[in-house]
Amino acid sequence: MESEFKTSNFIRNIIIDDLKNKKYETIITRFPPEPNGYLHIGHAKSLEINFSLAEEFGGKTNLRFDDTNPLKEDVEYVNSIEEDVKWLGYKWDKVIFASDYFEIMYEKAMFLIKKGLSFVCDLTGEEIKKFRGNLQEPGVESPYRNRSVEENIDLFTRMKNGEFKDGEKVLRAKIDMSSSNMNMRDPVIYRISHTPHHNTGEKWCVYPMYDFAHPLEDAIEGITHSICTLEFEDHRPLYDWFVRECEMENVPRQIEFARLNLTNTVMSKRKLKALVDENIVDGWDDPRMPTIAGFRRRGFTPESIRNFCRAIGVAKANSLVDYQMLEHFLREDLNPKCKRIMAVIDPIKVVITNYEEGKVEELFIENNKDDESMGTRRITFSKYIYIDRDDFMENPPPKYFRLFKGNEVRLKGAYFIKCNEVIKDENGKVIELHCTYDPETKSGSGFSGRKVKGTIHFVDSSSSIPAQFRLFEPLILDGSSDSDFLKNINENSLRICEGFIEDNAKGSKGFDKYQIFRHGYFSVDPKYTTQDKLVFNRIASLKSSFKLK
Ligand code: ATP
Ligand code: MG
């Protein structure tokens, strides 16, 4: 796995070259989320790239919150991001806030003004946009572009002192209004916002724009390789311009890679926030959310997510990765680790008519048939048991080997049973099956009298405990056309079933995981589980069942 990541990784090759050419001595990378939402699986890809590359070459990685927009940011997000990064197993060198650098950034903006490379502009946002031109036409210079250095110093100082309203003035870099790169057409570098900031409170009312702040943050921290997603490729000349013109001591190198996109998944904090705000999900950690918190609550392991991120590799071309690939790594991780257990998620009661009333028999069943060291567990058998509704059919098609009237099946770990009678309620729904068992066929007894084709699971009513099972489908029907994603919500993304599980699950805690025989991998939900009732989230079925469109 790891070797695949290493060979397909062009960023790694750049780093190797830079070290060989002594361009840098130590590699320093950073993971720079904006605290305006929870981390999603796309961020995991970025984390893996930044942390694993630094680690491989004996370097360091900073966790830096890019908190330059007080309107959208919140400490809740800061805390969740730290928790998620830790949970994934990454160890940062420093935690830093971009807002820690507001003073230096302000000074650097002043520095550009003094160099004649920056000016205060009174145009409105609309006008700035109009004046900027487009790819065919050059932009038009702002009428405020030739203000004197003194006037700019005075106005910018007064902007900082709170003398103007939001949007009344901005500070812009003076670069080139006819550049073929739109980002170079006198971009805005500071704006006014009278919004309290989660870190700096009311100290500032001018805030640096991302394009100005980011290269300075990188340079201040001595970041050697500033790894970001492809949409910033066109911003690189501007990035380099700010580092150069602000005369920063350290010169970081920006490298872009392709974003992760997953099938049937929207992947931007803005869109995920809409799902939370519209109550389509029950919070950022809803098990259907592609957030790290959602995957954790659903039962995914850090290993499965990291192995997935390594396997998808790092490339320059955008692509859509199949969600099933993530499930593959989950199964690969859990299969050897997980205890097996039986549960019935949609029960039909079965009466074993020839079994003694009140008798309870103990049976022993292996925890993992591929791994003897996991031992056996005790289950029970009695006159009243439950099987899953899916394992019975009144009018079975040919080659149906599970239970139907007149047919015999094997109960996993117990006996052969044969169905003789079907009991229905007044609406015709099957509510009870009357079966007989054959005492000769006890599991492990070496019985070889006859064979049956179907093996189904069961739980015994005398010992099993009630449990809730939450089964998921993709939240979004078609994640690719995501402009209208709120219209593409899958109404069946959550199915809640009330059933029973072996008492071996008694006392399970949030996040405990099991492979439930034939149903898949499940994890105990930390939020809904109570003293009286276990609630399980299905992490993934045993084999992929979801058909891609
Ligand atoms: P979003 O649109 O979800 O808010 P963003 O790009 O604004 O994402 P930030 O929180 O600002 O995300 O970014 C933190 C880092 O994670 C950035 O370097 C960003 O490029 C990277 N990142 C974000 N989304 C993805 C993705 N889908 N695949 C890979 N990297 C991503
Ligand atoms: Mg963003």
Side-chain angles (χ1 to χ4, degrees):
M1 190 56 51
E2 202 152 292
S3 62
E4 201 177 323
F5 181 68
K6 286 183 180 173
T7 52
S8 69
N9 190 334
F10 72 96
I11 303 177
R12 185 169 176 268
N13 296 338
I14 293 176
I15 292 178
I16 291 172
D17 271 357
D18 285 349
L19 286 171
K20 207 165 62 195
N21 300 331
K22 304 250 179 322
K23 193 171 167 195
Y24 304 109
E25 251 167 52
T26 321
I27 298 305
I28 308 180
T29 60
R30 86 288 174 262
F31 175 67
E34 186 184 355
N36 60 347
Y38 281 55
L39 296 185
H40 50 64
I41 185 82
H43 291 113
K45 176 176 179 180
S46 174
L47 279 161
E48 182 61 28
I49 296 171
N50 280 295
F51 278 88
S52 69
L53 286 175
E55 192 190 322
E56 184 185 348
F57 296 101
K60 302 183 240 182
T61 306
N62 291 340
L63 172 60
R64 183 206 307 144
F65 291 101
D66 231 320
D67 56 347
T68 53
N69 184 0
L71 258 183
K72 293 195 198 144
E73 294 154 5
D74 201 281
V75 258
E76 177 196 348
Y77 302 138
V78 170
N79 294 337
S80 77
I81 290 170
E82 287 190 10
E83 184 185 351
D84 291 349
V85 174
K86 273 191 218 153
W87 178 74
L88 284 169
Y90 299 109
K91 295 192 177 63
W92 57 73
D93 185 47
K94 297 181 194 129
V95 188
I96 295 162
F97 291 85
S99 53
D100 295 340
Y101 304 137
F102 280 169
E103 199 69 53
I104 309 179
M105 290 181 193
Y106 177 78
E107 281 165 21
K108 286 293 175 184
M110 255 326 170
F111 182 69
L112 289 181
I113 292 176
K114 290 175 188 160
K115 280 177 94 175
L117 290 176
S118 175
F119 64 99
V120 173
C121 184
D122 299 3
L123 294 179
T124 64
E126 275 298 296
E127 287 165 333
I128 291 178
K129 213 165 156 189
K130 216 170 71 198
F131 277 50
R132 184 165 285 151
N134 52 47
L135 288 174
Q136 285 75 41
E137 288 168 53
V140 176
E141 291 186 353
S142 162
Y144 305 99
R145 198 174 198 263
N146 296 315
R147 276 179 164 153
S148 69
V149 169
E150 289 66 37
E151 191 182 0
N152 282 320
I153 292 175
D154 173 59
L155 288 173
F156 189 47
T157 307
R158 288 166 57 197
M159 277 169 68
K160 177 196 162 212
N161 291 343
E163 290 185 31
F164 307 110
K165 292 200 281 293
D166 290 10
E168 213 177 315
K169 287 185 169 28
V170 290
L171 184 71
R172 298 175 69 178
K174 196 190 281 189
I175 310 181
D176 179 4
M177 286 307 285
S178 55
S179 171
S180 57
N181 184 334
M182 299 287 289
N183 296 302
M184 302 299 274
R185 295 187 185 174
D186 292 4
V188 173
I189 63 178
Y190 257 94
R191 72 205 151 86
I192 301 170
S193 177
H194 291 272
T195 311
H197 185 280
H198 76 96
N199 232 11
T200 56
E202 312 232 348
K203 176 156 186 232
W204 295 90
C205 62
V206 287
Y207 292 96
M209 302 300 286
Y210 179 88
D211 277 337
F212 176 68
H214 205 86
L216 295 190
E217 293 156 19
D218 286 344
I220 294 165
E221 283 166 36
I223 302 300
T224 53
H225 299 83
S226 175
I227 303 165
C228 64
T229 39
L230 227 45
E231 69 273 21
F232 291 103
E233 197 167 18
D234 288 346
H235 297 238
R236 196 186 332 130
L238 183 56
Y239 180 101
D240 293 339
W241 191 91
F242 283 128
V243 172
R244 191 172 62 244
E245 297 303 344
C246 291
E247 299 176 24
M248 304 304 289
E249 199 174 316
N250 300 307
V251 179
R253 169 173 183 175
Q254 177 180 305
I255 307 168
E256 309 86 15
F257 71 96
R259 250 172 204 276
L260 168 65
N261 294 302
L262 265 189
T263 52
N264 299 89
T265 309
V266 289
M267 197 110 73
S268 93
K269 284 177 259 148
R270 186 178 57 79
K271 289 174 188 155
L272 297 175
K273 185 167 189 302
L275 294 170
V276 174
D277 291 346
E278 305 272 325
N279 292 317
I280 292 166
V281 292
D282 88 13
W284 285 94
D285 68 347
D286 186 294
R288 294 165 292 174
M289 289 282 269
T291 51
I292 302 304
F295 282 118
R296 174 171 59 235
R297 177 150 162 226
R298 181 150 168 171
F300 274 80
T301 57
E303 292 80 3
S304 60
I305 294 174
R306 291 181 61 165
N307 287 340
F308 166 78
C309 290
R310 289 190 195 115
I312 55 178
V314 186
K316 266 279 191 194
N318 279 313
S319 66
L320 186 63
V321 177
D322 198 323
Y323 179 84
Q324 296 193 27
M325 193 167 159
L326 184 55
E327 290 191 326
H328 164 83
F329 286 100
L330 187 270
R331 292 187 192 106
E332 194 180 77
D333 184 33
L334 290 189
N335 186 38
K337 293 185 191 164
C338 249
K339 272 198 178 166
R340 273 55 171 170
I341 201 162
M342 290 198 284
V344 167
I345 65 177
D346 183 8
I348 305 185
K349 190 172 179 187
V350 175
V351 181
I352 312 292
T353 50
N354 61 341
Y355 200 87
E356 196 181 314
E357 182 84 51
K359 179 176 166 185
V360 177
E361 186 174 351
E362 287 191 329
L363 299 162
F364 291 86
I365 185 168
E366 69 275 358
N367 277 327
N368 183 348
K369 70 173 181 347
D370 303 321
D371 181 1
E372 252 181 55
S373 74
M374 288 178 78
T376 56
R377 67 184 189 280
R378 183 205 62 109
I379 59 169
T380 68
F381 187 75
S382 75
K383 190 176 180 75
Y384 305 102
I385 65 168
Y386 299 108
I387 66 162
D388 252 301
R389 192 164 289 280
D390 272 357
D391 285 333
F392 172 81
M393 274 187 105
E394 258 198 292
N395 303 300
K399 300 215 168 133
Y400 185 84
F401 300 123
R402 289 173 272 165
L403 206 56
F404 54 90
K405 195 169 169 181
N407 193 40
E408 191 175 40
V409 296
R410 178 199 312 272
L411 290 180
K412 172 79 178 168
Y415 296 96
F416 289 9
I417 58 165
K418 183 175 177 182
C419 178
N420 306 307
E421 206 179 329
V422 179
I423 317 289
K424 299 182 196 173
D425 67 10
E426 62 271 26
N427 302 316
K429 186 180 173 190
V430 176
I431 49 168
E432 205 172 287
L433 302 173
H434 288 184
C435 297
T436 44
Y437 87 116
D438 179 351
E440 301 274 294
T441 59
K442 184 168 174 175
S443 175
S445 69
F447 174 77
S448 60
R450 62 188 181 280
K451 294 223 173 332
V452 291
K453 284 206 161 139
T455 298
I456 66 172
H457 58 273
F458 75 101
V459 293
D460 178 18
S461 75
S462 76
S463 62
S464 63
I465 53 175
Q468 185 182 91
F469 302 91
R470 301 168 80 91
L471 313 183
F472 309 107
E473 278 185 24
L475 188 58
I476 310 285
L477 287 169
D478 177 5
S480 52
S481 62
D482 55 9
S483 56
D484 249 3
F485 72 101
L486 286 177
K487 291 199 190 108
N488 272 329
I489 303 295
N490 178 4
E491 301 288 333
N492 303 314
S493 62
L494 170 64
R495 184 177 149 213
I496 298 178
C497 300
E498 301 292 343
F500 300 95
I501 191 162
E502 285 175 26
D503 61 352
N504 290 303
K506 209 180 260 174
S508 297
K509 301 274 174 322
F511 304 108
D512 283 354
K513 297 177 206 338
Y514 294 95
Q515 189 193 99
I516 299 184
F517 190 64
R518 296 172 68 220
H519 281 302
Y521 294 99
F522 286 71
S523 183
V524 176
D525 190 278
K527 192 160 155 186
Y528 294 135
T529 292
T530 62
Q531 283 277 326
D532 306 320
K533 187 146 169 209
L534 290 170
V535 175
F536 290 89
N537 293 319
R538 178 150 73 186
I539 321 169
S541 55
L542 291 179
K543 295 210 174 69
S544 17
S545 58
F546 181 67
K547 297 257 184 316
L548 289 164
K549 293 194 194 80

